[in-house]
Amino acid sequence: MSDIVYHYQNPSVLNKTAGSDELFLSKYSEVQKKDVPCFFWGKLKDPYTTSRCLITLSNVVQSSFNLSPFQLAMLKDPIVTAGNEKIRFEGFSHCAGVYARVDILPDGHDGEFPGNGTTNVDFNQPMISALSSVSKAENVVLSVGKKEVAIAKEGQKIVERKVPLPTKWIKGLASVQLFLADAERVFTFNRIQTLQLFQSLPNGKPRTDYYLIMRGTKPSFSPVKSGNGICIGGVHRLRLLEPLLPLATELRVFAQPAMQSVTWQLYFGAVRFSLSISRDAWRGFSGEGAALESLIEDVPDSWIDAVDKFSYANHEFNPTLLSIEEGLDLKKVENITGRLSAMGLLGYDLDENHFFYRRLPFKLSRILSLNPRLKDAEKLLEEGKVAITLQTDNRVEAKVQGSGVNHFVVLEGENEKCTCTWFSKHQGERGLCKHILAVKKKLIS
């Protein structure tokens, strides 16, 4: 990517005080989001593998593990992002408990990027049929535009038009990217090991958790935990990967430290396929609330707007680098990251270890509308229903008025407890309850 040079009328200023720091970014009107009709146009260098990955992605999007047929009809197909010499196709299962992505890397295409942008299309049967018939020696041209995605081959052109991006997906994008950012690579398998592993995949839909374990050099799925095994709920969902296994040269497995998600990344040269599954088959990423902790502290809208423009210009967002270069506290950078993620603007690349940028409509109002627990917490504060009853250096106790009952919150170090039914049921695994959120927000207000 060529260097981008900005000219500022005034310098940015960082004011530091004993308890906080404030960054005032100089306005850079030179960074304007271009309204271009085409984001990418060019040939695919490995059209056969790419088409098989896109078919598998479509299978993920058409699958469901806990929704009714009526709910299935309400959701659509892939999100497509072009920029930084990469094309990314993303999608969720209908229940939002499985997230998949196809990354076409710079060596996987021969084309041009007139601009960077994101669109959302519906892969209908003509597109699936065209992808299914792609041969290894065939020339395939892909185009990604503001209002459509198209492939052309042997005089045939299939066009898919833009459709609305489901709200459920925006909520899922926020949680899954933050889980990915926390994930660590645990296993790497070659093709033979990968095929051996999936031969041990249990039949049917197991009702219990399974574990990915090693027996010598041979990996397998087992209902019994041993050693450093990875816990996998709803292991049958991994069958979505089976059509791609014979083509992959490598499989890498990444686990979120608390096992709230596990990501399976297959490699095909300049093409990657990622599949992330939630902790249980009935749990969707859209309801996990992973971003709530970073949304507690308010961040000026001007900061969010400035970082959004910075991310758009550079096609990526590196929180650690921003913290170092601008002298910002890591907690504030986490808040900015959480807000951009909550609006669906950030994805995460495990191999490159940083966020990439999606160009979606920039709406700060999405943060509250897509996070009802945060909205409810603010309402509790506005109505004066939160009272701090004890506050010491390492312990906070509070009383929160509910509907006919008082809830009691205790914050002690990294441990957080509440007497509400949400906390009793989930024990903090699906994000903070509204009462803990309200107490934490009151402490910093």
Side-chain angles (χ1 to χ4, degrees):
M1 184 180 70
S2 59
D3 294 336
I4 300 175
V5 179
Y6 305 109
H7 298 283
Y8 302 87
Q9 293 181 347
N10 299 295
S12 298
V13 177
L14 178 65
N15 292 333
K16 294 191 175 185
T17 63
S20 64
D21 48 30
E22 294 182 336
L23 173 69
F24 298 90
L25 292 171
S26 175
K27 182 179 179 181
Y28 48 101
S29 59
E30 292 86 350
V31 182
Q32 298 295 336
K33 296 181 181 180
K34 299 177 183 178
D35 189 15
V36 296
C38 181
F39 307 140
F40 170 80
W41 184 91
K43 291 174 58 177
L44 298 176
K45 290 187 177 180
D46 189 355
Y48 180 80
T49 299
T50 303
S51 65
R52 268 55 195 172
C53 287
L54 292 177
I55 291 170
T56 302
L57 177 65
S58 182
N59 290 338
V60 171
V61 173
Q62 294 177 42
S63 65
S64 175
F65 300 94
N66 69 1
L67 291 190
S68 68
F70 172 75
Q71 290 171 309
L72 298 183
M74 299 174 64
L75 300 180
K76 295 295 182 181
D77 266 56
I79 304 164
V80 190
T81 299
N84 204 20
E85 301 299 314
K86 303 178 184 71
I87 308 112
R88 305 182 193 265
F89 292 78
E90 304 171 86
F92 286 93
S93 60
H94 285 303
C95 55
V98 181
Y99 164 78
R101 191 174 79 231
V102 178
D103 294 326
I104 305 174
L105 305 176
D107 290 339
H109 62 79
D110 182 11
E112 298 180 357
F113 292 81
N116 67 303
T118 302
T119 190
N120 187 59
V121 296
D122 189 2
F123 273 15
N124 293 300
Q125 192 55 48
M127 176 64 81
I128 300 300
S129 298
L131 291 171
S132 300
S133 64
V134 171
S135 64
K136 293 184 178 180
E138 197 164 8
N139 288 325
V140 176
V141 174
L142 170 70
S143 62
V144 180
K146 181 180 178 181
K147 296 183 179 180
E148 64 183 38
V149 172
I151 64 168
K153 66 186 192 75
E154 295 184 347
Q156 179 188 22
K157 184 176 182 180
I158 306 297
V159 179
E160 294 290 6
R161 305 293 181 184
K162 183 178 180 179
V163 295
L165 181 62
T167 299
K168 188 182 186 77
W169 281 23
I170 299 177
K171 294 177 68 175
L173 289 172
S175 290
V176 77
Q177 309 311 327
L178 295 178
F179 284 152
L180 285 171
D182 286 339
E184 299 174 355
R185 180 163 56 160
V186 183
F187 294 112
T188 300
F189 303 123
N190 59 33
R191 179 181 293 167
I192 294 176
Q193 289 175 310
T194 300
L195 293 172
Q196 289 175 335
L197 172 63
F198 276 78
Q199 285 173 357
S200 68
L201 198 62
N203 296 321
K205 298 179 180 180
R207 295 181 179 274
T208 60
D209 291 337
Y210 266 68
Y211 298 86
L212 169 53
I213 63 173
M214 295 295 295
R215 293 191 173 104
T217 60
K218 183 179 179 180
S220 66
F221 294 110
S222 171
V224 180
K225 182 180 180 181
S226 66
N228 60 343
I230 296 177
C231 183
I232 306 162
V235 69
H236 57 285
R237 294 176 289 176
L238 294 179
R239 292 201 177 279
L240 290 164
L241 289 174
E242 288 183 325
L244 296 177
L245 299 181
L247 302 174
T249 58
E250 185 176 88
L251 167 65
R252 296 178 187 175
V253 183
F254 301 80
Q256 193 264 353
M259 302 294 176
Q260 296 306 298
S261 71
V262 181
T263 298
W264 311 74
Q265 197 150 277
L266 293 170
Y267 294 79
F268 314 85
V271 180
R272 292 188 308 230
F273 188 93
S274 303
L275 189 85
S276 299
I277 59 175
S278 60
R279 176 62 183 82
D280 297 290
W282 54 268
R283 284 168 59 169
F285 285 110
S286 58
E288 292 302 280
L292 289 173
E293 181 81 24
S294 61
L295 297 177
I296 296 173
E297 186 173 351
D298 292 331
V299 176
D301 291 352
S302 58
W303 288 27
I304 304 299
D305 181 62
V307 175
D308 172 60
K309 288 179 179 178
F310 172 84
S311 302
Y312 164 78
N314 293 278
H315 310 290
E316 62 184 47
F317 174 63
N318 188 323
T320 304
L321 188 61
L322 178 67
S323 174
I324 294 172
E325 290 186 347
E326 301 297 342
L328 281 173
D329 181 83
L330 275 172
K331 186 64 177 178
K332 282 187 169 59
V333 176
E334 287 178 7
N335 294 340
I336 294 172
T337 304
R339 276 165 166 71
L340 294 177
S341 296
M343 292 182 284
L345 300 177
L346 298 181
Y348 195 81
D349 190 308
L350 284 164
D351 286 343
E352 297 182 2
N353 199 32
H354 62 60
F355 291 91
F356 64 87
Y357 180 81
R358 298 186 197 92
R359 185 182 175 186
L360 299 178
F362 186 76
K363 298 179 181 178
L364 287 166
S365 59
R366 276 187 182 151
I367 294 175
L368 278 182
S369 65
L370 296 180
N371 293 277
R373 269 180 273 167
L374 182 65
K375 188 175 182 178
D376 290 344
E378 295 200 350
K379 184 178 180 181
L380 288 171
L381 290 170
E382 290 172 1
E383 295 176 352
K385 294 183 176 180
V386 181
I388 306 297
T389 57
L390 173 70
Q391 184 173 2
T392 65
D393 290 341
N394 60 358
R395 184 180 176 91
V396 173
E397 296 180 5
K399 180 176 70 174
V400 183
Q401 295 179 33
S403 301
V405 63
N406 289 328
H407 301 289
F408 296 92
V409 173
V410 176
L411 309 178
E412 190 169 15
E414 295 184 358
N415 296 318
E416 301 149 346
K417 295 181 180 180
C418 181
T419 57
C420 70
T421 55
W422 172 271
F423 185 86
S424 298
K425 182 178 180 180
H426 301 293
Q427 296 294 310
E429 285 191 352
R430 304 196 71 188
L432 304 179
C433 68
K434 62 183 179 181
H435 310 105
I436 294 177
L437 281 170
V439 172
K440 285 194 165 189
K441 197 168 181 66
K442 185 176 180 66
L443 289 172
I444 62 175
S445 60

